[in-house]
């Protein structure tokens, strides 16, 4: 495949998701691999999604020092940004507070972010459940400190905030070790790991027990494998969306009535 192929396939996926998913997430590296042509393809696909009125997330997992991350607003958030998106993903391992500037840039432009807290890769557990030795969250896990820092941006907001977390659907066996309780988080939660990476409906019910309609489960490879037919992609999208909605509805039964999520 080349940049054109990536663009065409993304357009097919976008058509299949239109009106059937709450948002679409674009994996930045899958376009970046083709260099400038790939980035240009991503720009066009993001533009097409905006024309459809679809919420867009760019999964770029950026992070860095405050002097570096300040450039992200020009790329993703400000009016006329070449990669204008509704939200991007961020890595907090320069220190969660290092992201304060780019988070405020997002919020000031009516955008949002998702910060990696409990990722779906197994090797992440040792880092994310490590105990902090100093600072505000001394004695708590790294993941807990990240989640708590994100929550501060959402405190006092009526309804759901715009600063979210990434919490993988595959972490049910060690979520208690993290000290993070997704049901108490009031921002959106982006959850990879369902389908191709092994998470099933029962995992969603375990990890997101008591959540209140703020979980966005991402599914990509499982759906993409049904292409290139748009009809087949559409059918796969509808099928997996139904399963996820039901699982999250069941997960929420100990809380208030769930809003529709996908």
């Amino acid at each position: 495949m080349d940049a054109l192929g990536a663009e065409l396939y993304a357009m097919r996926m976008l058509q299949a998701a239109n009106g059937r998913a709450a948002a679409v997430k674009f994996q930045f590296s899958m376009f970046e691999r083709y260099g400038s042509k790939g980035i240009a393809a991503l720009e066009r696909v993001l533009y097409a999604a905006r024309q459809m009125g679809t919420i867009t997330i760019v999964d770029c997992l950026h992070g860095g020092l405050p002097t570096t991350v300040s450039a992200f607003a020009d790329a993703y958030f400000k009016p006329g940004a070449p990669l204008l998106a509704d939200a991007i993903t961020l890595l907090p391992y320069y220190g969660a507070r290092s992201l304060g500037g780019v988070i405020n840039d997002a919020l000031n432009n009516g955008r949002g972010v998702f910060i990696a807290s409990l990722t779906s890769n197994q090797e992440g557990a040792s880092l994310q459940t490590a105990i902090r030795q100093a600072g505000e969250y001394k004695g708590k896990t790294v993941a807990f400190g990240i989640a708590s820092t994100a929550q501060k941006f959402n405190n006092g907001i009526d309804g759901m905030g715009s600063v979210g977390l990434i919490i993988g659907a595959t972490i049910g066996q060690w979520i208690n070790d993290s000290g993070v309780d997704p049901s108490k988080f009031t921002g959106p939660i982006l959850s990879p790991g369902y389908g191709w990476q092994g998470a099933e409906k029962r995992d969603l019910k375990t990890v997101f027990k008591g959540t209140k309609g703020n979980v966005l489960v991402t599914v990509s490879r499982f759906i993409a494998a049904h292409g290139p037919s748009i009809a087949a992609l559409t059918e796969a999208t509808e099928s997996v969306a139904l399963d996820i909605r039901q699982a999250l509805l069941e997960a929420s039964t100990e809380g208030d009535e769930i809003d529709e999520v996908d």
Side-chain angles (χ1 to χ4, degrees), residues 15 20 51 82 90 92 111-112 125 155 176 184 188 201 228 258:
Q15 291 179 67
R20 301 174 184 88
Q51 295 303 107
L90 297 172
R111 311 290 167 178
N155 289 341
N176 291 335
K184 295 181 179 179
K201 289 190 288 184
I258 195 169

Side-chain angles (χ1 to χ4, degrees), residues 59 61-62 88-96 99 103 113-132 137 140-152 154 163-172 174-192 207-208:
D59 192 359
L61 287 175
H62 283 328
I88 65 171
T89 59
L90 297 172
L91 279 177
Y93 297 112
Y94 277 80
L99 300 175
I103 291 173
V113 300
F114 291 94
I115 305 172
S117 177
L118 294 167
T119 55
S120 56
N121 58 312
Q122 293 183 354
E123 57 270 37
S126 59
L127 170 62
Q128 293 158 15
T129 60
I131 303 300
R132 295 167 62 109
Y137 300 108
K140 302 291 186 180
T141 66
V142 170
F144 181 88
I146 293 168
S148 299
T149 301
Q151 178 60 44
K152 289 180 180 180
N154 299 322
V163 177
L165 292 177
I166 300 174
I167 298 180
T170 58
I171 65 165
W174 56 275
I175 188 170
N176 291 335
D177 296 336
S178 73
V180 176
D181 184 352
S183 69
K184 295 181 179 179
F185 186 70
T186 63
I189 297 174
L190 187 68
S191 182
V207 176
F208 300 114

Side-chain angles (χ1 to χ4, degrees), residues 4-16:
L4 178 58
E7 179 178 351
L8 293 176
Y9 209 99
M11 290 292 189
R12 286 175 175 268
M13 293 281 286
L14 185 57
Q15 291 179 67

Side-chain angles (χ1 to χ4, degrees), residues 97-117:
R97 290 182 179 177
S98 70
L99 300 175
V102 69
I103 291 173
N104 285 321
D105 283 337
L107 298 178
N108 291 338
N109 285 280
R111 311 290 167 178
V113 300
F114 291 94
I115 305 172
S117 177

Side-chain angles (χ1 to χ4, degrees), residues 27-66:
Q27 188 70 38
F28 182 80
S29 61
M30 296 303 176
F31 293 89
E32 184 182 23
R33 70 198 307 176
Y34 303 115
S36 60
K37 292 182 179 179
I39 305 301
L42 177 57
E43 289 185 30
R44 290 189 290 270
V45 175
L46 284 167
Y47 176 80
R50 292 198 301 273
Q51 295 303 107
M52 291 179 176
T54 300
I55 294 174
T56 56
I57 303 165
V58 175
D59 192 359
C60 52
L61 287 175
H62 283 328
L65 298 173

Side-chain angles (χ1 to χ4, degrees), residues 215-239:
V215 180
L216 187 68
V217 177
T218 69
V219 183
S220 54
R221 283 175 285 185
F222 174 81
I223 293 175
H226 289 77
S229 165
I230 295 176
L233 291 169
T234 298
E235 183 178 354
T237 301
E238 291 177 342
S239 175

